[in-house]
């Protein structure tokens, strides 16, 4: 739901689902897809996102969360990636934030910040950048959770497309001060 949109728009979509009493797997599976799309319209790409949401809920109906929780990270990741519409970032976000398992989430914000400070190329692959975090940090889900959240906050507020470098605490490390 968060892809290619602002968090504010996602909140609106979630509020609509909540107000319609739809925050349940069975209810998402039962609601007619066009109605679902209208409820999440604010999140953008709503036709695609409503299909993906239904696919994910179909998967979760067949694979109960408490069973997925018991699996090793690679096993649960492979299962999530087999769902149509679920990519690396979504799978890893679910594993980190819903299952509390240590896998580092890479997103466009992470690539922007770490390429600007010279840790990676701006076209780095998802796996390569993730490996840098895994090889250099203790595998603690709380650390990965907080670290990713801090990257998002920093890039959203300071290292924007048009960066506000005078407000940045990383200027001494950065290769790309504007
Ligand atoms: S100095 Fe500027 S470009 Fe570098 S990380 Fe900070 S905000 Fe981004």
């Amino acid at each position: 739901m968060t892809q290619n949109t602002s968090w504010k728009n996602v909140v609106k979509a979630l509020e609509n689902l909540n107000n319609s009493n739809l925050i349940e797997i069975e209810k998402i599976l039962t609601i007619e897809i066009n109605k679902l799309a209208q409820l999440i319209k604010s999140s953008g790409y709503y036709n695609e996102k409503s299909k993906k949401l239904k696919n994910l809920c179909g998967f979760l109906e067949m694979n109960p969360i408490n069973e997925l929780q018991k699996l090793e990270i690679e096993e649960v990741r492979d299962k999530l990636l087999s769902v149509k519409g679920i990519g690396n970032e979504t799978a890893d976000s679910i594993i980190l934030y819903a299952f509390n398992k240590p896998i580092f989430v890479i997103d466009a914000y992470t690539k922007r910040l770490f390429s600007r400070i010279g840790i990676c190329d701006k076209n780095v692959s998802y796996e390569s950048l993730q490996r840098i975090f895994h090889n250099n940090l203790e595998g603690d889900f709380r650390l990965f959770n907080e670290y990713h959240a801090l990257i998002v906050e920093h890039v959203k507020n300071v290292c924007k497309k048009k960066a506000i470098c005078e407000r940045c605490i990383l200027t001494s490390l950065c290769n790309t001060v504007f």
Side-chain angles (χ1 to χ4, degrees):
M1 199 90 88
T2 58
Q3 277 169 356
N4 299 312
T5 191
S6 68
W7 180 242
K8 208 174 85 191
N9 290 333
V10 177
V11 169
K12 262 192 225 159
L14 291 174
E15 280 172 354
N16 283 345
L17 292 179
N18 194 34
N19 293 340
S20 305
N21 197 21
L22 285 172
I23 309 281
E24 272 180 48
I25 290 168
E26 296 73 32
K27 291 180 180 170
I28 294 287
L29 285 172
T30 313
I31 187 174
E32 209 254 308
I33 194 152
N34 292 333
K35 281 189 191 152
L36 180 60
Q38 287 308 308
L39 288 167
I40 63 166
K41 195 168 184 174
S42 64
S43 70
Y45 301 99
Y46 49 94
N47 287 324
E48 277 307 302
K49 287 182 180 179
S50 55
K51 279 186 212 150
K52 290 178 184 178
L53 195 51
K54 276 192 174 273
N55 287 343
L56 178 61
C57 287
F59 168 79
L60 291 173
E61 189 183 47
M62 304 297 291
N63 297 271
I65 290 173
N66 57 343
E67 292 301 321
L68 291 171
Q69 179 84 48
K70 292 179 198 154
L71 301 177
E72 295 296 322
I73 290 177
E74 281 313 315
E75 239 178 316
V76 68
R77 192 171 197 268
D78 286 347
K79 279 181 176 279
L80 285 166
L81 289 174
S82 71
V83 180
K84 196 161 178 235
I86 302 279
N88 289 326
E89 186 186 333
T90 305
D92 292 347
S93 300
I94 292 171
I95 296 169
L96 178 63
Y97 289 104
F99 297 154
N100 288 338
K101 291 181 188 285
I103 191 158
F104 208 94
V105 177
I106 304 298
D107 60 5
Y109 288 164
T110 313
K111 284 189 185 178
R112 183 193 297 168
L113 180 60
F114 282 78
S115 61
R116 283 180 173 175
I117 62 176
I119 302 282
C120 64
D121 185 81
K122 70 176 180 348
N123 297 317
V124 66
S125 70
Y126 189 99
E127 292 76 15
S128 302
L129 186 50
Q130 188 178 55
R131 212 172 303 121
I132 293 176
F133 286 98
H134 287 175
N135 290 344
N136 289 284
L137 295 172
E138 194 187 324
D140 175 352
F141 79 87
R142 291 179 199 83
L143 172 69
F144 287 8
N145 177 325
E146 182 68 7
Y147 201 152
H148 177 70
L150 290 171
I151 292 169
V152 171
E153 272 309 291
H154 185 68
V155 176
K156 236 171 50 183
N157 295 309
V158 182
C159 196
K160 304 172 179 214
K161 270 191 189 143
K162 192 170 180 316
I164 313 173
C165 299
E166 62 275 17
R167 279 182 48 204
C168 184
I169 55 165
L170 300 172
T171 43
S172 62
L173 298 174
C174 187
N175 289 347
T176 328
V177 182
F178 292 100

